[in-house]
Amino acid sequence: MKPEEGMEVYAQGKLTTYAKGSISNYQLQVDQIDAQGEGALLKIFEQRKKKLKEEGLFDEKHKKKLPFLPKKIGVITSPTGAVIMDIVDRIKNRFSTHLELFPISVQGAKSAEEIILGVNFFNNHSDVDLVIIARGGGGAEDFLPFNDENVVLSLIHISEPTRPLYIS
């Protein structure tokens, strides 16, 4: 995330001080920065969406039809959250099929990176018919990793797998 003028952020890092002559200066060496406030997050989301749309990444040519009855579904989500249990219940009740889980943390600094690893895993090392990337509810800040530009690009620019891969 690149902070902009006037944006409310939460920055975490190390505070250092140094002297220039008789004046002390403070410096924050930032390790992690997150946008704060739902308005700021929605603004980032809308700007990213507009940029990617202008690049043609949401064009119909990138969309694939979902298989009617997939034989194997890949799921990228937390193995301990309620959402995986909801997915298992729905699949079991509607049409029983095999699920393959790629476990990730659904929030935090590494979450977007883990989603991309999951997409790459299912694209290159698995015979799933479609992939579900999921998390439970939450506020706008909880969905930031799922709207990360690199996550979107990993879904669009996946290499051609041996079988068609559908992302839902």
Side-chain angles (χ1 to χ4, degrees):
M1 184 197 89
K2 294 179 184 174
E4 298 174 17
E5 183 79 30
M7 183 181 281
E8 183 180 340
V9 298
Y10 171 82
Q12 183 176 344
K14 183 171 82 173
L15 187 64
T16 58
T17 182
Y18 59 96
K20 274 188 178 177
S22 62
I23 299 174
S24 292
N25 290 293
Y26 294 92
Q27 177 177 310
L28 178 62
Q29 296 173 340
V30 177
D31 297 323
Q32 181 178 338
I33 188 166
D34 296 309
Q36 295 294 299
E38 196 163 320
L41 298 175
L42 292 175
K43 180 180 177 185
I44 292 169
F45 172 75
E46 290 301 328
Q47 287 172 337
R48 183 173 296 142
K49 183 176 166 185
K50 180 181 176 187
K51 175 184 176 245
L52 296 175
K53 186 175 183 174
E54 287 171 357
E55 292 176 12
L57 297 181
F58 299 130
D59 292 351
E60 286 297 318
K61 68 181 179 182
H62 297 296
K63 296 180 182 180
K64 298 176 184 173
K65 188 174 177 172
L66 293 173
F68 179 65
L69 291 174
K71 291 180 175 78
K72 189 174 184 182
I73 300 173
V75 182
I76 302 171
T77 193
S78 169
T80 59
V83 72
I84 187 63
M85 298 315 300
D86 291 343
I87 291 169
V88 169
D89 288 343
R90 291 284 181 182
I91 297 298
K92 190 190 309 183
N93 291 337
R94 292 186 179 182
F95 62 95
S96 191
T97 192
H98 182 73
L99 295 176
E100 186 172 344
L101 174 67
F102 188 93
I104 64 166
S105 52
V106 292
Q107 60 189 44
K110 299 275 185 194
S111 186
E113 200 175 293
E114 291 176 7
I115 294 169
I116 294 168
L117 289 172
V119 170
N120 291 337
F121 171 80
F122 285 123
N123 186 43
N124 298 312
H125 306 291
S126 183
D127 61 349
V128 297
D129 297 314
L130 66 90
V131 174
I132 299 171
I133 303 171
R135 72 156 281 132
E141 67 277 358
D142 297 321
F143 290 97
L144 275 180
F146 293 80
N147 296 321
D148 182 271
E149 185 171 348
N150 291 322
V151 169
V152 175
L153 293 174
S154 76
L155 299 174
I156 300 297
H157 296 140
I158 55 176
S159 62
E160 283 300 314
T162 53
R163 298 168 41 128
L165 180 65
Y166 302 89
I167 308 294
S168 173

